[in-house]
Amino acid sequence: MEVRTRAPGKIILAGEHAVVHGSAAVAASIALYTSVSLRLPSPDDNDDTLRLHLMDVGLEFSWPIGKIKEILPDSVNNIASSPSTCCEETIKLILTVLDDFKIPEAKSGIASGVIAFLWLYTSILGNKAAKVIVSSELPLGAGLGSSAAFCVALSGALLALSDSVDVDFDQEGWVSFGEKEQQLVNRWAFEGEKIIHGKPSGIDNTVSTFGNLIKFKSGALTCIKSNMVLKMLITNTKVGRNTKALVAGVSERKKRHPDTMTSVFTAVDFISNEFASIIQSTSFSDDDVVKKEHRIQELMEMNQGLLRCMGVSHASIETVLQTTCKYDLTSKLTGAGGGGCVLTLLPALLSATVIDKVIKELEQCGFQCFIAEIGGNGVQFRFDGGP
Ligand SMILES: Nc1ncnc2c1ncn2[C@@H]1O[C@H](COP(=O)(O)OP(=O)(O)OP(=O)(O)O)[C@@H](O)[C@H]1O
Ligand SMILES: C[C@@](O)(CCO)CC(=O)[O-]
Ligand SMILES: [Mg+2]
C-alpha cells in the first residue's frame, strides 16, 4: 500500500515573530510543495526495516524496526487521534539512533527533522516497516515554511494510512482531506514543528494544512479571502539561518526589554489586522487598488522596521530593501529572518520591464528571485500512484 501527499510552503505577509507572543499574523500558502511517498511492505515482503530517504539533502536512514521499538515502544498512550508532544527525554533517546549515521556538520539541522519524523511515524502508525521518501521544491531554512510543509506532508501521509481517519482510496488525482482530518493533520504537524522550531506559534503548519490566506492569532485561524491581486517577488538571500535560534533570540530580547517589546508586538498586531482588512475590502476602481497598494506598502515598511527592533533583520535583507527601494518598491523579510527570504510587493500597474530590471540587479547580488503564486491548496493526498 502506498500513499503520496504534498503540502505547500508559505509566506508571512505580516506578523512573524510577534505571532509567537500573541499578536495576529497574516500568511498565505505558495505553490511550492514538499512531497512525501509512504509505502508499507506487503506481508510476503518479509521486511522489518524503516527507511527514510531525504532526497533534497541526499541523506538516507534505515533502522531495524526492533531498534526503534526499543526507544519508542508501541505505547497505548500514543494514539493517532490524540496528538502528543515529544518530551526532551524522548528526543535524547531518539538521538541515540541517529548517532550511527554521522550526519555531516553542514547538514546538522536535518537531525531535528529526522527526530520529528521518528516521533510522528511511531506515534501515528506505530512500529511498522515502511519506506518513506521526502522531496521538496522549497529551499530549506529560507523562511518559506519548509519545516512546516515537511511536518504537514508527513502527518498527512501517516494519518491517511492509519485507522484514525477515513479516506477514499479510490479517488483519482490529488485529493484534499475533510476538515476534521485537516484539523488532526495540523495538530500532529504542530507537534513536529515543536521539535524543529522549539516554540512555534502554529501559523506555518496551519497555513500549510489549510492553504489559501489566513489570519492567525493565539492558535485561532481565520480563513480570509483577498479581494486584491497580491503579486509578490520572493528573493532568497541564500543566507542560511535557524528559525529555532531566531525565535529564541526574540524571546531573550523580550526578557531584557519587556515593556518595549510588548509595545512592538502590539504595533505588529495592529499592522496584521489592518493588512487583513485592506486585502479583504472591495475595490471599485483602479484608483482604489492603487490606494490599497500604497497602504499595504506602508504596513510592510512599518512591519520591517519592527522586525529590526526584534533583532531579526540581516545585512543581506537590508541589501534587498535598498535595491528594491531604488525602484520605489517596498520589501519586508518573511519567516524567521536572519537571512532567508524577502518579499517585495509588485504593484498591479508595474511594468514587466521594471520587474526584470529589479530581478537582474538582485541576482547580481547573488540572490535568487522568483514570483510564486500565492493562496493555493493546502495539504493533499493521492493513492493512485499518479505523477
Ligand atoms: N525536505 C526536507 N527534508 C528534510 N528535512 C527538512 C525538509 N524541509 C525541512 N526540513 C527540516 O526543517 C529544517 C528547516 O526548518 P526551519 O524552520 O529552520 O526553516 P524554514 O521552515 O524553511 O523557515 P521558516 O520556519 O522561517 O519558514 C531543516 O533543517 C530540517 O530539519
Ligand atoms: C518566526 C515565526 O513567527 C514564523 C516562522 O516562519 C515562528 C512561528 O510563528 O512559529
Ligand atoms: Mg520552519
Side-chain angles (χ1 to χ4, degrees):
M1 165 73 83
E2 177 180 12
V3 66
R4 290 177 51 223
T5 55
R6 69 179 187 180
K10 58 77 189 159
I11 52 175
I12 294 186
L13 296 161
E16 53 270 278
H17 284 294
V19 67
V20 176
H21 300 272
S23 298
V26 180
S29 60
I30 55 173
L32 294 173
Y33 297 90
T34 292
S35 301
V36 166
S37 159
L38 169 53
R39 191 173 65 79
L40 297 178
S42 57
D44 48 16
D45 284 348
N46 196 21
D47 185 350
D48 71 348
T49 304
L50 175 58
R51 293 178 176 80
L52 173 65
H53 184 186
L54 303 178
M55 295 184 71
D56 307 284
V57 292
L59 292 176
E60 293 192 54
F61 302 83
S62 65
W63 302 275
I65 206 65
K67 187 161 188 178
I68 301 295
K69 202 174 273 190
E70 282 168 20
I71 56 162
L72 291 166
D74 282 332
S75 154
V76 288
N77 301 328
N78 287 344
I79 53 174
S81 55
S82 307
S84 52
T85 300
C86 185
C87 63
E88 281 305 318
E89 292 68 40
T90 303
I91 289 177
K92 289 191 182 105
L93 272 176
I94 295 176
L95 277 168
T96 61
V97 297
L98 283 190
D99 288 345
D100 312 347
F101 294 96
K102 304 270 180 294
I103 299 174
E105 182 56 35
K107 299 178 180 177
S108 58
I110 295 299
S112 60
V114 180
I115 294 167
F117 163 75
L118 286 172
W119 176 250
L120 294 173
Y121 189 90
T122 54
S123 300
I124 296 172
L125 269 192
N127 284 298
K128 288 180 183 159
K131 180 164 186 181
V132 182
I133 302 172
V134 182
S135 61
S136 186
E137 299 167 323
L138 292 161
L140 272 61
L144 297 184
S146 71
S147 65
F150 174 77
C151 293
V152 168
L154 274 176
S155 300
L158 293 164
L159 285 166
L161 290 183
S162 77
D163 303 330
S164 291
V165 303
D166 296 327
V167 288
D168 179 352
F169 294 106
D170 300 322
Q171 280 184 285
E172 294 283 314
W174 288 110
V175 182
S176 295
F177 288 93
E179 182 166 354
K180 187 167 70 69
E181 290 73 19
Q182 284 177 316
Q183 297 286 359
L184 189 56
V185 168
N186 191 33
R187 288 172 59 208
W188 271 116
F190 186 48
E191 295 306 331
E193 278 277 84
K194 286 181 189 173
I195 293 169
I196 299 173
H197 269 207
K199 189 193 167 200
S201 65
I203 189 170
D204 291 2
N205 47 279
T206 299
V207 70
S208 182
T209 300
F210 292 95
N212 301 311
L213 280 90
I214 68 166
K215 186 167 82 166
F216 185 90
K217 179 167 181 167
S218 305
L221 150 76
T222 309
C223 294
I224 56 182
K225 183 173 176 355
S226 176
N227 274 325
M228 65 186 288
V229 175
L230 278 177
K231 190 173 175 186
M232 291 283 178
L233 173 67
I234 301 175
T235 301
N236 186 356
T237 63
K238 297 187 186 172
V239 172
R241 80 294 181 274
N242 176 289
T243 297
K244 184 173 186 176
L246 287 155
V247 168
V250 173
S251 295
E252 288 308 309
R253 183 168 289 206
K254 183 185 176 193
K255 284 179 192 158
R256 294 191 297 270
H257 311 280
D259 296 342
T260 306
M261 291 297 282
T262 299
S263 60
V264 166
F265 296 146
T266 302
V268 173
D269 188 56
F270 282 116
I271 287 172
S272 297
N273 284 311
E274 190 182 345
F275 197 111
S277 166
I278 293 169
I279 62 176
Q280 293 179 92
S281 62
T282 310
S283 307
F284 297 98
S285 67
D286 287 349
D287 191 41
D288 278 353
V289 173
V290 172
K291 282 181 184 148
K292 282 163 65 171
E293 285 175 343
H294 285 163
R295 288 177 64 200
I296 292 278
Q297 286 175 320
E298 283 186 328
L299 292 175
M300 288 174 67
E301 187 181 31
M302 291 188 280
N303 195 169
Q304 176 60 30
L306 292 163
L307 285 161
R308 279 197 201 94
C309 293
M310 296 179 218
V312 296
S313 193
H314 183 273
S316 60
I317 294 170
E318 298 300 328
T319 302
V320 176
L321 296 175
Q322 287 148 25
T323 304
T324 55
C325 187
K326 288 194 291 187
Y327 296 85
D328 203 21
L329 297 175
T330 305
S331 306
K332 72 173 273 287
L333 70 88
T334 189
C341 286
V342 183
L343 300 181
T344 303
L345 178 67
L346 300 177
L349 297 179
L350 188 66
S351 73
T353 310
V354 173
I355 295 174
D356 291 345
K357 275 185 185 171
V358 176
I359 290 175
K360 186 163 183 255
E361 193 164 338
L362 289 167
E363 288 175 342
Q364 282 166 348
C365 299
F367 303 144
Q368 179 193 18
C369 298
F370 51 99
I371 297 172
E373 185 192 321
I374 66 174
N377 289 319
V379 62
Q380 295 179 306
F381 66 91
R382 66 190 302 167
F383 284 99
D384 62 0

